[in-house]
Amino acid sequence: MPRVNTKLVCWEEVVDWCRKLAEAVEASGFKPDLIVSIARGGYIPARLLCDFLDVHDLVSLQVLHWGKAAEITAVAHVKYPYDLNLSGKRVLLVDDILDTGDSVIVARDYILSRWKPAELKIAAMQWISSVAKIKPDFYVEEVKDWIWYQYPWTRAEDTTNFFEKIISERVKEQKSEWSYEELVNEFKEWYGIDVGDSYYKLAVKRLKKNGKLEEKEGRYRVRY
Ligand code: ADE
């Protein structure tokens, strides 16, 4: 049994989910003039929705939860605030997943108060209904048991973070040296997915670059 409930998502599933999302938007009668993607997770679903819904206007808003030095900030915030006049426009706000809902709430409130569209609706491929503070107007999957969706656009980042988590947990048990195979095997065991050799290699390279691992004769020493 993996320690973290993780689903490896492939590109075809993303296209399929976004097609279904577009069908739900169309069936509702809502006709967006413009799509706003929440950066960074909403970029690819938003672009696919533009294609499926024949929407030509796409802008983005980046919402952050983390402050400097990885300190969590009390409230999520818009990283690059800017102004737009969306009066009279119908907006579809898009993210990949609605987990706690904090990003979407911040983006929605920002857009409504600063850009003043005529109407705004929210779409996400996944809605984690057990933890989310709000329900999106459109979604494809309702997720009741929390799960980490390993989307194709965060594969390198997630693999690096997952390795880092494994290393930092195991260092508490005095494990401070790894072979590449040990790292990969433990990754598969903890997360129950296999992202493939090219991603494992990229993640190890990143951990070496940012000083978390040191390579010596084919073995990796943990630096802390
Ligand atoms: N971003 C926020 N929550 C997430 C989740 N459960 N899976 C993937 N990406 C996320």
Side-chain angles (χ1 to χ4, degrees):
M1 267 297 279
R3 296 192 193 192
V4 184
N5 202 4
T6 309
K7 177 182 164 51
L8 182 66
V9 176
C10 68
W11 286 108
E12 286 72 19
E13 281 174 297
V14 172
V15 176
D16 196 44
W17 288 331
C18 288
R19 190 182 287 109
K20 289 187 172 126
L21 210 44
E23 284 165 5
V25 174
E26 249 166 11
S28 77
F30 183 63
K31 291 186 171 54
D33 300 298
L34 170 111
I35 289 180
V36 180
S37 73
I38 298 183
R40 294 169 293 161
Y43 261 81
I44 289 160
R47 183 61 186 90
L48 287 166
L49 282 170
C50 282
D51 196 26
F52 289 131
L53 292 169
D54 198 19
V55 171
H56 293 228
D57 291 5
L58 171 63
V59 299
S60 177
L61 197 59
Q62 184 155 10
V63 179
L64 279 196
H65 296 262
W66 300 85
K68 280 196 184 121
E71 280 171 16
I72 202 157
T73 50
V75 279
H77 61 281
V78 174
K79 186 169 183 189
Y80 300 108
Y82 64 101
D83 284 313
L84 274 185
N85 180 357
L86 294 186
S87 60
K89 304 269 189 202
R90 292 178 299 264
V91 169
L92 185 64
L93 178 62
V94 176
D95 210 347
D96 47 5
I97 186 164
L98 205 142
D99 187 319
T100 61
D102 289 337
S103 303
V104 167
I105 290 168
V106 165
R108 177 199 64 190
D109 293 349
Y110 181 89
I111 294 165
L112 289 176
S113 66
R114 301 266 300 250
W115 298 354
K116 299 188 167 44
E119 207 177 350
L120 180 147
K121 289 191 184 287
I122 296 164
M125 299 185 297
Q126 277 79 33
W127 169 44
I128 308 195
S129 57
S130 49
V131 296
K133 297 180 185 96
I134 58 165
K135 181 181 180 180
D137 300 284
F138 309 106
Y139 60 91
V140 182
E141 288 189 337
E142 177 180 354
V143 183
K144 288 184 176 147
D145 295 320
W146 190 91
I147 178 166
W148 184 263
Y149 280 79
Q150 204 306 283
Y151 297 115
W153 47 87
T154 53
R155 205 148 282 163
E157 189 176 319
D158 286 354
T159 306
T160 310
N161 290 339
F162 290 177
F163 271 160
E164 209 175 325
K165 175 85 178 151
I166 292 167
I167 290 164
S168 66
E169 285 298 312
R170 299 280 270 114
V171 91
K172 294 177 195 160
E173 302 157 10
Q174 316 303 323
K175 179 154 179 69
S176 56
E177 218 186 272
W178 295 80
S179 70
Y180 173 78
E181 288 73 24
E182 282 175 325
L183 272 171
V184 169
N185 286 338
E186 207 130 326
F187 178 99
K188 292 177 188 168
E189 224 177 275
W190 279 44
Y191 296 97
I193 59 170
D194 182 4
V195 298
D197 229 24
S198 55
Y199 280 104
Y200 298 129
K201 290 204 169 117
L202 205 147
V204 167
K205 196 168 132 194
R206 271 193 201 173
L207 290 170
K208 279 195 327 194
K209 193 171 152 223
N210 65 25
K212 300 269 163 43
L213 286 179
E214 190 179 47
E215 188 178 1
K216 228 179 185 176
E217 290 154 9
R219 301 218 19 114
Y220 296 94
R221 197 187 293 271
V222 183
R223 298 183 69 228
Y224 47 105

